[in-house]
Amino acid sequence: MGAVKLELRCPASVGGVAIDPQPDWSFETLLSELSSIENKLNASSAFPLPFTKTQLREVSCSMPVKRRAFVMRVDEIEDAEEDIEEVYDLHLAAGKRFTCDEFYISDSDDSEDASSRGAQYALMDKGGLVECALAELTHEHQLSVTEEIRNQILAVETDLMNENRKFISALDRVKKYAEKRQEIDRKLDMHYQRRIAEALDNHLTAIQRDHEHKSQLEERRIRDDAAIEEAKRRERALQEEKLRQEKVRAEAEARLEAERKRAEEAKAAAVEAGRKAAKEAAEKVAKEDSVRVASAAVIAPKAAIGHQTGASLEIVNDQSSKPGSDGKVRPVGNMVKCAESALKLEERRLQIYKEVTAKNEALELGSRSNHRRHGSQIQRLIKQISGTKENVINKVDQLAQIFCDSSCPQSISIATFAEKIVDQCASPNKPVFAYAHVIVLVASQFPLAMDLLLAKLNRACIYTVPKYINYSKSLFDSKDAYHKAIGYKEDDGELESEEIYVSRIESYMQLYGALVQTQIERVQNTHGLREGWAWLARFLNALPADLYTAVALQAFLKIAGFALFRTYKSQFKKLLNIIYRDFVNALKEQGGDAKLNKVITSIQTYIESNKFLEEPEGRPLQGSLLSHYCS
C-alpha cells in the first residue's frame, strides 16, 4: 500500500495561519511554529496578550460521523500568570477564528474526544488506519515530550531556587564571618594599642619618678648646704654675742671692782677717823659700842633676811648646810628648797639681768621719750600675736626691725621685749604656743633675749626655777611678808587674793611649758625639751606638795607633757608614776580643801586617761616656719 497524501478541502492558510499540521515536524520546529502563532495573534489583537489556551477545533465534513478527522491542538502556556489574565479580561477583544468547510473548532473541551474521534474516523476513511495511528502516536509523543520538558524545566527552576537559597545563605555566612573577623581584628588592634599606651605610660612614669628622685636629692643637698651655712652663721653670731656679753660682763666686773675699791677706801678712811675719835673719847665710845652690840644681837636674825624685789629672794643664814655633791637638793637655812644646779642658773640669769638693767639705765639718760616709743611699739606687737603662721612670722620680722633700729640701743629693746611678754602672759587664756614660737625665733637671732626672759620669768614665778620657800614665823614677821616673798602682788597696800595668785602661777607655768616644748626645724631652741626634762626632775626631787606646787605641775604637764612623752617615752611614764604614787598621795594627806581637790583630780585624770598622748590645743601652727628663715 503506497503513501496517501491527505488534502483538506479548505484554504491552505487563514489569516497567515497554516492549517497543515505537518505531522513529521520535529519538536523544535513545533515550538517555533507555536511562537510564531502567538506573535501573530498578539499583533492582530488590540491589546497584546500572551498566547492563551484554545479549545480543540473540530473539523466538520461530509464524511460519515464514524470517520475521524484531523484535529490540530495548541497547548496552553502555563507560564502565563492568572493575575495578568484577570487584569486584561476587560480589554480582551474577540480573536480571529479560522475555519474550513470540513473543520469545526469546538468551544468546549468536553466535546474534544468526540470531535477527535469523528475527525479521526473521517481521516481514516480517506488515508487509512495506519496513517491515523501514526498521527495519534505522534501527537501522544509530542504531549509526553512536552510534559517531560515541563517537568525538567520545573526541576531546573527548583534546583536553581535551592542553589540560590544556598548561595544567599553562604553569602550571609561569609558576611557574618567577615564581620566577626573585623570585630576580632578591631579588638586585637585596640588591645595592642592599649598595651602600647600602658608601656609608654610606664616608661614616662619611670622617667618622671627618676627625675623627681634626682630633684629631691638635689633639693636635699641644697637644703643641707643651706642648713650648714645657717648653722655656721648662727655659730658665728653666738660666738660674737658671747664675746659681747663677756665684754659687758668684764666691764661690769671692772666697774664693780672700782666701786668696791672706793668703798674699801671710804671704809678705811672711816676706820681711821673712828680711831682718832676713839682716842679722844675712849670711855664714851666704849659705852656706845656696848649698847650698839646689844641691840645688834637682837636685830641680826631679821636683818639676815633680804627682801626680794618682785618674787626673787636672796637669803643668807649662818646655819646653811653645805651643797651636796649629787646636786639634787640644796636647802638654804631650811627655808629655801631648790636644786643646786637650778640655783646656779638662776643666779647667772639674775646677774645678766642686773648688768643689762644697769647698762640700760645709763643709756636711757637723755632719750627716755624715744625709748618709751619703742617700748610702746613692742607692747603693741606682742598684744597682736595670734596662733597663725603668718602672724608669728610677721611679728618676729617687725620685732627684729625694732631691735636693729639704731635710734634705740638693742639691749633696751630686748629687755623691754622680755618684760612685756612676761607681763602679757600674767593673765590666763593667752596663745602661749604662739608666744613661745616668737620667743624661740627672736632668741635665735638675739640670744640675749632668752636669758633676760628667763630671768624675768624666774622673778615673776619662783616655780619656774623651780624653787620653794618655806614659811617660818621666826623669819617672817607676818603671812603677808611670806606672800610677798613667794610672789604675791600688792595693790594700794593690799595683797591680791589667793585665787588670782594661783591663776597667775598657772599662766606663767603654761608659758614656760610652751617654751621648753617648742621645736622648730633648723632653729635651735636654747631652752628646749632637755631643760624641760631637767625642770621636772628638779621639781620632783626638791619641792614639797602643796596647792601652789600642784598647780604649777599640772599646768606644766598639760602643755609640755605631749612633747616630753614623744621624746623620753618610758622614762616620762616613770616620772608620771612617781607623781601619781608620791606627789598626789602627799597632796591627799593635807586635807579636803576644795581648790586642792580640784587640782588633785585634774592631775589624776591626766595620768589615768593618758592625756599626754593627745596634742594640746593650739600647739601646731599651720605650715612650717622653716621656709621663711632658711630661704
Side-chain angles (χ1 to χ4, degrees), residues 247-257 351 355:
K247 184 178 179 181
V248 171
R249 189 180 298 109
E251 293 175 354
E253 290 177 356
R255 186 170 55 255
L256 292 175
E257 183 66 20
Q351 180 66 25
E355 293 174 359

Side-chain angles (χ1 to χ4, degrees), residues 148-213:
E148 184 179 356
I149 291 173
R150 289 176 181 171
N151 292 335
Q152 291 180 359
I153 293 172
L154 181 61
V156 170
E157 291 178 352
T158 304
D159 292 340
L160 289 175
M161 291 176 66
N162 291 334
E163 291 295 330
N164 190 24
R165 283 196 295 270
K166 291 180 181 179
F167 176 75
I168 293 174
S169 177
L171 185 61
D172 291 340
R173 289 197 300 271
V174 170
K175 289 182 179 179
K176 291 181 180 178
Y177 177 77
E179 293 176 356
K180 188 180 295 183
R181 289 300 305 174
Q182 289 177 358
E183 182 67 19
I184 293 173
D185 293 341
R186 186 183 63 82
K187 290 182 179 179
L188 290 176
D189 185 61
M190 290 179 62
H191 179 68
Y192 180 70
Q193 291 179 358
R194 189 181 298 111
R195 291 182 59 185
I196 292 175
E198 290 177 355
L200 181 61
D201 184 65
N202 293 336
H203 178 67
L204 294 177
T205 303
I207 294 175
Q208 184 179 3
R209 189 183 301 112
D210 183 64
H211 179 70
E212 291 178 353
H213 180 66

Side-chain angles (χ1 to χ4, degrees), residues 62-307:
S62 59
M63 293 293 180
V65 177
K66 294 181 180 179
R67 301 177 67 180
R68 297 179 62 184
F70 176 77
V71 178
M72 185 181 66
R73 298 169 181 256
V74 180
D75 294 328
E76 62 179 346
I77 299 176
E78 293 181 356
D79 293 336
E81 298 293 335
E82 294 290 337
D83 54 341
I84 299 177
E85 293 179 0
E86 292 175 359
V87 173
Y88 290 97
D89 281 341
L90 297 176
H91 303 286
L92 291 176
K96 293 182 179 181
R97 299 173 64 90
F98 57 94
T99 59
C100 298
D101 294 341
E102 296 180 358
F103 289 93
Y104 170 74
I105 298 177
S106 176
D107 293 333
S108 174
D109 291 336
D110 297 336
S111 60
E112 181 179 359
D113 293 337
S115 300
S116 299
R117 285 193 299 268
Q120 291 174 1
Y121 292 153
L123 292 174
M124 287 171 57
D125 291 341
K126 292 183 177 183
L129 181 60
V130 176
E131 291 79 358
C132 292
L134 180 61
E136 184 67 22
L137 289 174
T138 302
H139 177 68
E140 289 178 357
H141 176 68
Q142 291 176 354
L143 291 177
S144 63
V145 170
T146 303
E147 185 66 23
E148 184 179 356
I149 291 173
R150 289 176 181 171
N151 292 335
Q152 291 180 359
I153 293 172
L154 181 61
V156 170
E157 291 178 352
T158 304
D159 292 340
L160 289 175
M161 291 176 66
N162 291 334
E163 291 295 330
N164 190 24
R165 283 196 295 270
K166 291 180 181 179
F167 176 75
I168 293 174
S169 177
L171 185 61
D172 291 340
R173 289 197 300 271
V174 170
K175 289 182 179 179
K176 291 181 180 178
Y177 177 77
E179 293 176 356
K180 188 180 295 183
R181 289 300 305 174
Q182 289 177 358
E183 182 67 19
I184 293 173
D185 293 341
R186 186 183 63 82
K187 290 182 179 179
L188 290 176
D189 185 61
M190 290 179 62
H191 179 68
Y192 180 70
Q193 291 179 358
R194 189 181 298 111
R195 291 182 59 185
I196 292 175
E198 290 177 355
L200 181 61
D201 184 65
N202 293 336
H203 178 67
L204 294 177
T205 303
I207 294 175
Q208 184 179 3
R209 189 183 301 112
D210 183 64
H211 179 70
E212 291 178 353
H213 180 66
K214 291 180 179 179
S215 299
Q216 291 176 359
L217 293 177
E218 185 66 20
E219 291 177 359
R220 188 179 302 171
R221 186 185 63 79
I222 294 173
R223 287 197 302 267
D224 293 342
D225 294 343
I228 294 173
E229 293 296 330
E230 181 66 18
K232 291 180 179 179
R233 187 189 64 81
R234 288 199 302 268
E235 185 66 23
R236 288 194 299 269
L238 185 61
Q239 292 178 357
E240 292 175 357
E241 183 63 24
K242 287 182 178 179
L243 293 175
R244 188 183 62 80
Q245 292 179 1
E246 290 177 358
K247 184 178 179 181
V248 171
R249 189 180 298 109
E251 293 175 354
E253 290 177 356
R255 186 170 55 255
L256 292 175
E257 183 66 20
E259 293 177 355
R260 187 180 62 79
K261 289 181 179 180
R262 287 196 297 271
E264 289 178 355
E265 292 176 356
K267 184 178 180 180
V271 170
E272 186 66 23
R275 287 177 181 177
K276 292 179 180 180
K279 290 180 181 179
E280 295 176 355
E283 295 179 357
K284 185 177 179 179
V285 171
K287 293 180 180 180
E288 291 178 355
D289 289 340
S290 61
V291 174
R292 189 164 52 252
V293 170
S295 62
V298 177
I299 299 174
K302 294 183 181 180
I305 303 173
H307 181 69

Side-chain angles (χ1 to χ4, degrees), residues 307-314 346 455-465 467 469 482-489 501 504 508:
H307 181 69
Q308 184 185 32
T309 303
S312 179
L313 182 64
E314 298 176 358
E346 182 192 19
K456 177 65 178 177
L457 195 58
N458 294 158
R459 288 167 60 88
C461 178
I462 61 174
Y463 305 106
T464 59
V465 176
K467 184 171 65 176
I469 300 176
Y482 172 71
H483 288 158
K484 289 180 181 180
I486 63 176
Y488 272 75
K489 288 185 177 181
Y501 174 69
R504 195 168 66 255
Y508 286 140

Side-chain angles (χ1 to χ4, degrees), residues 590-616:
Q590 296 184 11
D593 181 69
K595 298 178 182 177
L596 184 59
N597 289 337
K598 181 178 179 181
V599 179
I600 293 173
T601 303
S602 178
I603 296 175
Q604 285 180 327
T605 303
Y606 180 84
I607 298 174
E608 293 173 355
S609 303
N610 294 331
K611 294 292 185 181
F612 53 86
L613 299 177
E614 301 175 4
E615 189 172 18

